[in-house]
Amino acid sequence: MTPDHWTPRIVAFFCNWCTYTAADLAGVSRLRYAPNVRIIRLMCSGRVDPQFVLDALARGADGVLIGGCHPGDCHYVEGNTKMLRRFRMLRRLLAGFGIEEERVRLEWISAAEGEKVRTVINDMTERIRALGMLGLPMRFEEWDREMGHLEGEIRERATDLDPDDDEAGEEGEPEVPAAAQRPEASHV
């Protein structure tokens, strides 16, 4: 997809018991929201491995939305608090990669909050649109080309150095002039 025809692509990981049910409620209530989100239903937001988020971004998503139950309402007691810890770690990791932290968002949405699903999705779509295309797959191609050029330069430099050159001596061992060498000690 070229930047001219670009629209944000957002992958959403929603927990089965709260946020996915709220998204279902939004649909049944005919609440319209941006069509840029592809929802993946999980049993718990605590099931979202940071690798899922990185894979989504690496495969062309421009943003990732994670939805779970409100704190204290998790059907698995503490799955959402585990997700919160992972989310904070993930944002620091993304910042280290030079990826805007706003591309990944965590929201607590209960089953009765269909309106909040619509608001969050529309808001995130506009924020991602303002950030622009992430385009990691295209960046990977560019980085692969750079690595190919770098490997070529390294090979070229390696052939410039003649490993069979006897005048240079062994690498790492400086030559010692004969006058500076100690005579063998004689034991009488």
Side-chain angles (χ1 to χ4, degrees):
M1 180 176 295
T2 62
D4 298 336
H5 300 92
W6 174 77
T7 58
R9 289 197 286 182
I10 299 170
V11 173
F13 296 103
F14 286 171
C15 87
N16 179 61
W17 305 105
C18 288
T19 312
Y20 186 83
T21 306
D24 196 29
L25 175 64
V28 169
S29 303
R30 297 183 185 268
L31 299 175
R32 298 184 68 109
Y33 53 81
N36 304 71
V37 175
R38 298 294 177 265
I39 298 173
I40 298 172
R41 180 168 60 173
L42 300 170
M43 291 308 287
C44 179
S45 61
R47 177 65 183 91
V48 178
D49 189 299
Q51 186 65 45
F52 297 170
V53 175
L54 296 175
D55 276 351
L57 296 174
R59 293 172 187 254
D62 299 299
V64 175
L65 173 63
I66 303 163
C69 301
H70 286 275
D73 290 342
C74 179
H75 285 65
Y76 302 99
V77 183
E78 58 183 22
N80 50 9
T81 56
K82 286 180 182 174
M83 185 60 239
L84 180 60
R85 285 193 297 263
R86 290 179 187 155
F87 174 71
R88 289 179 178 162
M89 181 267 308
L90 188 59
R91 288 184 76 156
R92 285 195 299 264
L93 182 70
L94 291 175
F97 288 150
I99 296 173
E100 300 90 352
E101 295 178 359
E102 297 82 18
R103 292 189 182 274
V104 179
R105 182 172 177 171
L106 174 64
E107 287 288 335
W108 308 132
I109 303 173
S110 76
E113 296 177 312
E115 177 63 34
K116 187 173 179 180
V117 168
R118 176 172 74 166
T119 303
V120 166
I121 288 175
N122 288 341
D123 180 60
M124 183 157 184
T125 302
E126 288 311 309
R127 287 182 186 204
I128 297 295
R129 193 182 312 276
L131 289 173
M133 177 189 278
L134 179 59
L136 273 184
M138 289 183 286
R139 288 188 192 180
F140 288 143
E141 291 174 12
E142 181 182 325
W143 294 335
D144 287 345
R145 279 194 300 274
E146 287 177 7
M147 289 304 294
H149 290 298
L150 184 62
E151 287 175 5
E153 286 179 23
I154 290 172
R155 275 193 220 113
E156 191 173 297
R157 287 183 184 177
T159 55
D160 287 347
L161 298 174
D162 188 5
D164 297 327
D165 190 5
D166 292 336
E167 295 178 14
E170 291 292 321
E171 187 175 319
E173 295 180 17
E175 290 187 33
V176 179
Q181 293 180 359
R182 287 183 165 183
E184 297 267 337
S186 62
H187 300 282
V188 181

